[in-house]
């Protein structure tokens, strides 16, 4: 399995930026797709962004497209989520996850094998 630890969350004003990091260990990081999901209080966990193992392809939820950027540094075993022009609606716990086997779509929660503990992002108005 791959162990994942998120960091970089915090409190930021609307319009501000944060960069989340997800450090991976335990297995070869570069061979797996990675995803970011988020969950707001009282809501279901939703897809945010995904990136292929090589970093050559990315995908985003419509709600964050143009504002968020997912990237990875395989030499550092880390995936990032750069969040710009944050809105109060972005407030949630953000989780990174590793996709080991490709059974479903990349934006499906059940597709991912291991999850980090989450990091809180709070955007004030």
């Amino acid at each position: 399995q791959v162990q994942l630890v998120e960091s970089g969350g915090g409190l930021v004003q609307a319009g501000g930026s944060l960069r989340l990091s997800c450090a991976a260990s335990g297995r070869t990081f570069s061979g797996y797709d990675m995803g970011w999901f988020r969950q707001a209080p009282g809501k279901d966990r939703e897809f945010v962004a995904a990136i292929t193992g090589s970093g050559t392809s990315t995908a985003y939820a419509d709600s964050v497209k143009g504002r968020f950027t997912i990237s990875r540094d395989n030499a550092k075993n880390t995936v990032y989520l750069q969040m710009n022009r944050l809105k109060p609606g972005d407030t949630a716990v953000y989780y990174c996850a590793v996709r080991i086997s490709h059974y479903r779509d990349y934006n499906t929660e059940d597709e991912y094998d291991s999850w980090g503990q989450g990091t809180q992002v709070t955007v004030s108005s």
Side-chain angles (χ1 to χ4, degrees):
Q1 65 177 6
V2 178
Q3 292 82 46
L4 305 172
V5 179
E6 302 96 334
S7 62
L11 175 64
V12 64
Q13 292 185 347
S17 298
L18 286 172
R19 189 181 75 160
L20 307 183
S21 298
C22 176
S25 63
R27 297 186 68 176
T28 302
F29 175 73
S30 62
Y32 300 107
D33 296 352
M34 298 290 294
W36 284 98
F37 290 74
R38 67 187 183 185
Q39 187 168 24
K43 297 183 179 180
D44 294 332
R45 184 158 47 184
E46 65 176 350
F47 169 77
V48 176
I51 188 168
T52 55
S54 64
T56 57
S57 296
T58 59
Y60 300 92
D62 289 341
S63 59
V64 306
K65 192 173 299 182
R67 300 187 298 119
F68 290 11
T69 302
I70 187 171
S71 62
R72 66 193 299 158
D73 186 340
N74 287 339
K76 297 182 178 180
N77 295 328
T78 302
V79 63
Y80 304 96
L81 185 68
Q82 178 67 47
M83 305 184 294
N84 298 325
R85 304 195 305 280
L86 284 162
K87 305 175 181 179
D90 296 319
T91 295
V93 177
Y94 284 71
Y95 301 89
C96 66
V98 59
R99 185 191 189 196
I100 297 176
S101 300
H102 293 192
Y103 297 135
R104 297 169 178 257
D105 295 333
Y106 60 82
N107 60 349
T108 301
E109 177 181 342
D110 291 344
E111 182 76 358
Y112 293 82
D113 181 68
S114 297
W115 298 79
Q117 85 289 346
T119 185
Q120 176 71 49
V121 172
T122 302
V123 184
S124 62
S125 60

